[in-house]
């Protein structure tokens, strides 16, 4: 009696026996350029050769991957799925080559760490010291970004772990642990503190100032908007939208009515330069906690686990000192 065939198993067998990495690179190039002529020019081959290669890739996957539109070649739903995994596979390959190169150079391995700009200096120092003081030394790559960007980097296998704000979105395989609670404060130019500190905390008055806020549709922007709405005030239209500490510092130094919300310990690190200062108001809410992120598949990796332990231990010591 014949057995039922499993289409998924058949496709997996086809991919294992026929798929080549250069075909994934080709699909990425088509998605990037959207015309076969440009792909052919980039790869320095004829356009018929690119057309043939695309047909072979579609035959391997058993699906049409691109369709012609007025905007050029656009991925089909099947094409989108293949491109998503192609990005991950090629990112894993790039990461493997970097690890092997670092081992050849006498390093103990390579770790890719994502960071938000509001990670406390002490926590950042502990993490980098732990990684760079190993014997033999480890190769380390750091990337800064918003929490959303760091999570995207983890999911795309471009990062191994990250330290950022807690994440409330949907990311398959993401593991996060809250490690440190930060208190928010209002920050203005040092020369404007006395003038802007007059009277009690008044969100309606503060909303009239020149606000520096995170970009739209980020977790922190949503948090700050909710604070204004909760106080019965329309969220302000910001003068500047950024997560860059350097950009904030420049604007706070030059604009007398500029104001931002930052973590108090981050502000304490920057106040020493004398360009900005915290207003003397206590806010009755907390920032989303600083969290350590990785992927489920990397959670038990010795390098990732040891970094997580150091970050957690340092955060607990910092929390005890702040009471």
């Amino acid at each position: 009696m014949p057995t039922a065939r499993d289409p998924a198993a058949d496709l997996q067998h086809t991919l294992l026996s026929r798929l080549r990495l250069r075909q994934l690179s080709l699909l990425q190039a088509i998605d990037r350029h959207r015309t076969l002529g440009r792909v052919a020019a980039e790869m320095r081959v004829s356009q018929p050769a690119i057309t043939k290669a695309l047909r072979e890739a579609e035959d391997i996957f058993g699906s049409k991957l691109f369709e012609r539109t007025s905007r050029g070649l656009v991925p089909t739903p099947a094409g989108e799925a293949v491109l998503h995994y192609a990005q991950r596979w090629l990112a894993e390959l790039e990461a493997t080559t970097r690890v092997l190169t670092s081992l050849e150079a006498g390093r103990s391995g390579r770790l890719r760490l994502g960071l938000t700009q509001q990670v406390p200096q002490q926590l950042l120092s502990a993490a980098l010291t732990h990684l760079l003081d190993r014997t033999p030394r480890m190769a380390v790559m750091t990337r800064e970004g918003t929490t959303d960007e760091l999570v995207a980097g983890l999911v795309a296998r471009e990062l191994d772990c990250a330290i950022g704000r807690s994440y409330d979105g949907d990311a398959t395989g993401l593991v996060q642990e809250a490690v440190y609670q930060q208190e928010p404060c209002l920050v203005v130019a040092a020369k404007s503190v006395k003038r802007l500190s007059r009277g009690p905390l008044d969100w309606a008055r503060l909303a009239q100032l020149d606000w520096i806020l995170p970009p739209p549709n980020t977790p922190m922007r949503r948090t700050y908007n909710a604070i204004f709405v909760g106080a019965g005030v329309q969220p302000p239209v910001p003068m500047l939208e950024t997560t860059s500490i350097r950009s904030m510092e420049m604007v706070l130094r030059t604009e007398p009515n500029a104001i931002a919300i930052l973590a108090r310990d981050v502000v304490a690190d920057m106040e020493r330069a004398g360009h900005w200062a915290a207003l003397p108001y206590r806010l009755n809410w907390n920032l989303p906690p600083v969290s350590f992120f990785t992927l489920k598949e990397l959670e038990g990796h010795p390098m990732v686990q040891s970094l997580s332990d150091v970050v957690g231990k340092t955060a607990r010591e910092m929390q005890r000192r702040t009471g």
Side-chain angles (χ1 to χ4, degrees), residues 246-304:
R246 291 180 62 188
S247 297
M248 293 182 196
E249 184 177 12
M250 188 277 291
V251 173
L252 286 167
R253 186 187 307 177
T254 58
E255 297 292 333
N257 288 325
I259 185 170
I261 301 175
L262 290 171
R264 190 172 293 277
D265 50 10
V266 173
V267 174
D269 288 338
M270 305 298 293
E271 274 183 320
R272 300 184 185 97
H275 299 309
W276 58 5
L279 293 179
Y281 300 120
R282 289 285 174 175
L283 306 181
N284 60 356
W285 49 277
N286 285 323
L287 294 165
V290 174
S291 300
F292 185 86
F293 299 86
T294 189
L295 296 173
K296 187 68 177 176
E297 65 204 57
L298 295 175
E299 190 177 15
H301 191 286
M303 287 190 294
V304 174

Side-chain angles (χ1 to χ4, degrees), residues 23-323:
Q23 291 164 325
L24 298 180
S25 181
L26 166 70
L27 296 177
Q28 283 194 328
I30 295 173
D31 184 49
R32 186 167 60 250
H33 292 296
R34 299 298 169 101
T35 70
L36 297 183
R38 291 176 185 170
V39 175
E42 178 185 300
M43 295 188 168
R44 298 183 180 180
V45 297
S46 68
Q47 185 168 328
I50 295 296
T51 301
K52 180 181 178 182
L54 173 58
R55 287 174 180 164
E56 289 176 351
E58 291 181 326
D59 181 62
I60 291 171
F61 283 101
S63 298
K64 188 175 181 62
L65 302 180
F66 291 89
E67 58 184 2
R68 294 186 181 278
T69 72
S70 58
R71 295 176 289 119
L73 290 170
V74 176
T76 64
E80 291 282 6
V82 170
L83 286 166
H84 172 72
Y85 286 102
Q87 180 186 13
R88 289 176 52 178
W89 292 332
L90 293 173
E92 292 280 14
L93 177 65
E94 192 272 342
T96 302
T97 62
R98 298 288 182 181
V99 170
L100 293 175
T101 302
S102 68
L103 291 172
E104 281 291 320
R107 305 297 191 197
S108 61
R110 184 172 185 263
L111 187 132
R112 301 164 299 171
L113 174 63
L115 301 161
T116 62
Q117 288 214 2
Q118 292 201 41
V119 171
Q121 186 63 42
Q122 188 174 344
L123 207 56
L124 173 61
S125 296
L128 292 181
T129 298
H130 173 72
L131 293 173
L132 297 176
D133 281 1
R134 298 169 68 95
T135 302
R137 281 196 163 181
M138 177 182 293
V140 179
M141 183 205 80
T142 64
R143 179 196 295 179
E144 290 189 347
T146 65
T147 297
D148 284 359
E149 291 167 345
L150 299 183
V151 168
L154 284 165
V155 172
R157 279 30 179 204
E158 296 168 356
L159 295 172
D160 301 309
C161 49
I163 306 173
R165 297 280 181 209
S166 62
Y167 181 74
D168 59 2
D170 182 22
T172 303
L174 183 70
V175 178
Q176 62 177 312
E177 178 186 1
V179 296
Y180 184 68
Q181 191 69 61
Q182 287 180 306
E183 178 189 354
C185 65
L186 297 163
V187 188
V188 298
K191 60 188 176 184
S192 302
V193 167
K194 185 175 181 180
R195 174 173 57 87
L196 297 178
S197 297
R198 295 170 185 152
L201 178 61
D202 182 349
W203 286 100
R205 176 175 64 89
L206 293 175
Q208 304 305 311
L209 299 177
D210 296 325
W211 276 86
I212 304 171
L213 293 173
N217 301 318
T218 58
M220 292 311 304
R221 180 65 172 272
R222 293 192 290 270
T223 296
Y224 297 159
N225 285 347
I227 298 304
F228 281 102
V229 172
V233 177
Q234 180 70 22
V237 176
M239 172 179 64
L240 174 68
E241 294 173 303
T242 186
T243 58
S244 166
I245 296 293
R246 291 180 62 188
S247 297
M248 293 182 196
E249 184 177 12
M250 188 277 291
V251 173
L252 286 167
R253 186 187 307 177
T254 58
E255 297 292 333
N257 288 325
I259 185 170
I261 301 175
L262 290 171
R264 190 172 293 277
D265 50 10
V266 173
V267 174
D269 288 338
M270 305 298 293
E271 274 183 320
R272 300 184 185 97
H275 299 309
W276 58 5
L279 293 179
Y281 300 120
R282 289 285 174 175
L283 306 181
N284 60 356
W285 49 277
N286 285 323
L287 294 165
V290 174
S291 300
F292 185 86
F293 299 86
T294 189
L295 296 173
K296 187 68 177 176
E297 65 204 57
L298 295 175
E299 190 177 15
H301 191 286
M303 287 190 294
V304 174
Q305 185 60 60
S306 65
L307 179 60
S308 175
D309 291 343
V310 166
V311 169
K313 179 182 178 182
T314 304
R316 288 191 294 272
E317 292 172 352
M318 293 168 61
Q319 212 82 68
R320 279 197 296 271
R321 283 197 294 271
T322 60

